[in-house]
Amino acid sequence: MTAAVLDPDLLMAFAAVAEHRSFTRAAVSLNRTQSAVSVQIRRLEERIGTKLFQRTRAGVALTAAGEELLVYARRLLDLNAEAIDVLRARKRDAVVRLGVMDDYGTIVIPPLLARFAQNHPDIRVEIETGLTATMPARLGEAYDLVIAMHPGGCGDGELLRREQTVWAAARTYRAEAQETLPVALYPPGCLFRQWAAEALDAAGRPWRLAFVSRTLAAVEAVAAQGLAITVVKAGTLPPRLQILSEREGLPPLPGADIRLHRARNLSRPAALLADHLQLGISEPASHILT
């Protein structure tokens, strides 16, 4: 024989009537009609095979069976609410928002995320690439974690790696042959753009901004076609490009720090990803890219 199942909706109506000692007041608290609540109580009584309320001059009162059921009803409703809260919190916590520079988001981060996904398939990572100068200020609001580039020796967060900024161009490009150097860079706010302009101006090297894009792929493509030179990190040098040096008449560029920024009160999934990235990026670049 199949056991009776205590429907949470019926238990909720039962608990409301027991609390208010009135079908009318219970219906108001549940935003239902009195007749709907009466039907639910009748269904519950039929399901368990006993009366739960008796009429009195003051309204309704619990029978002995009703008093006994009320204890279980409250426990079941509390357990139901707890289970829903835990599962909803798990769903929220399972999403980690990561902001990162375009080159790291294209070259360094994907293999690390692949390894992380193998060990934590239930954690979803949402990654946004772009200029990271303003990303740390939006931690907690837009990002849980940010991997940003800072001038060498500056910046908050955890130091992951030091990178050398270098000039790069197509393998056949000859910068020394250019009277006015065409340069492909990123929009204002990018440290590469700032450092390139300052270095060329300080060296008295004529140059012009030949191409501007927010994406590494577009800047790399222009440089690879020999249309301009650009600035990259030595650790993420695109394979189609070569490093240019002072031999080609180009001034040296500053070093950069790669730092990890964590939002306050990180969820456990975000903390797991942060530790994974911290360990992975701190390893030699050759190990990450293999």
Side-chain angles (χ1 to χ4, degrees):
M1 182 176 179
T2 304
V5 177
L6 296 177
D7 187 327
D9 282 340
L10 302 184
L11 292 178
M12 191 177 301
F14 165 70
V17 174
E19 178 183 350
H20 293 285
R21 294 294 195 267
S22 164
F23 281 81
T24 301
R25 290 193 294 272
V28 172
S29 70
L30 296 171
N31 196 27
R32 297 172 186 168
T33 63
Q34 180 178 336
S35 60
V37 172
S38 297
V39 169
Q40 287 183 302
I41 298 302
R42 185 166 62 251
R43 287 178 181 171
L44 181 60
E45 290 176 333
E46 291 172 354
R47 187 161 297 183
I48 60 178
T50 188
K51 292 288 291 182
L52 299 173
F53 294 101
Q54 57 187 3
R55 298 283 179 177
T56 68
R57 291 183 179 181
V60 292
L62 287 165
T63 63
E67 292 281 1
E68 190 172 358
L69 177 61
L70 183 60
V71 175
Y72 290 103
R74 285 172 173 164
R75 286 166 59 185
L76 288 170
L77 290 172
D78 288 344
L79 188 60
N80 183 76
E82 180 183 342
I84 291 174
D85 288 344
V86 167
L87 291 173
R88 284 178 176 172
R90 178 181 178 85
K91 184 176 180 180
R92 287 195 301 270
D93 288 346
V95 179
V96 182
R97 303 163 300 168
L98 171 65
V100 65
M101 306 88 65
D102 196 26
D103 53 356
Y104 268 52
T106 303
I107 300 170
V108 176
I109 298 299
L112 293 178
L113 290 184
R115 275 190 261 161
F116 184 77
Q118 289 177 351
N119 296 324
H120 304 283
D122 57 327
I123 299 177
R124 187 171 78 252
V125 181
E126 297 177 352
I127 181 170
E128 179 181 328
T129 64
L131 299 180
T132 56
T134 61
M135 284 185 180
R138 299 174 63 199
L139 281 166
E141 171 197 346
Y143 310 104
D144 300 301
L145 305 170
V146 170
I147 297 173
M149 183 177 74
H150 297 269
C154 301
D156 298 324
E158 305 165 37
L159 178 63
L160 301 180
R161 183 190 296 175
R162 287 196 163 92
E163 291 271 12
Q164 180 55 51
T165 309
V166 295
W167 299 100
R171 296 188 178 278
T172 57
Y173 195 83
R174 295 294 175 262
E176 67 274 15
Q178 303 293 327
E179 183 176 343
T180 300
L181 194 65
V183 184
L185 291 171
Y186 302 91
C190 175
L191 283 174
F192 281 172
R193 177 170 174 147
Q194 175 188 334
W195 292 345
E198 290 175 350
L200 291 171
D201 289 344
R205 183 73 162 87
W207 66 284
R208 63 182 177 87
L209 192 59
F211 184 81
V212 177
S213 175
R214 291 184 176 273
T215 67
L216 169 70
V219 171
E220 176 191 342
V222 167
Q225 292 298 318
L227 301 176
I229 71 168
T230 189
V231 177
V232 300
K233 301 179 185 74
T236 56
L237 176 71
R240 296 189 291 174
L241 304 182
Q242 65 168 335
I243 294 176
L244 303 178
S245 66
E246 294 183 48
R247 292 194 302 271
E248 287 81 22
L250 293 168
L253 292 166
D257 286 350
I258 309 304
R259 294 181 175 271
L260 171 65
H261 302 264
R262 308 183 190 217
R264 293 183 178 180
N265 303 319
L266 276 185
S267 66
R268 182 174 178 274
L272 287 172
L273 178 60
D275 292 343
H276 177 76
L277 295 175
Q278 191 276 334
L279 178 62
I281 296 176
S282 297
E283 295 175 353
S286 59
H287 177 76
I288 292 175
L289 300 178
T290 55

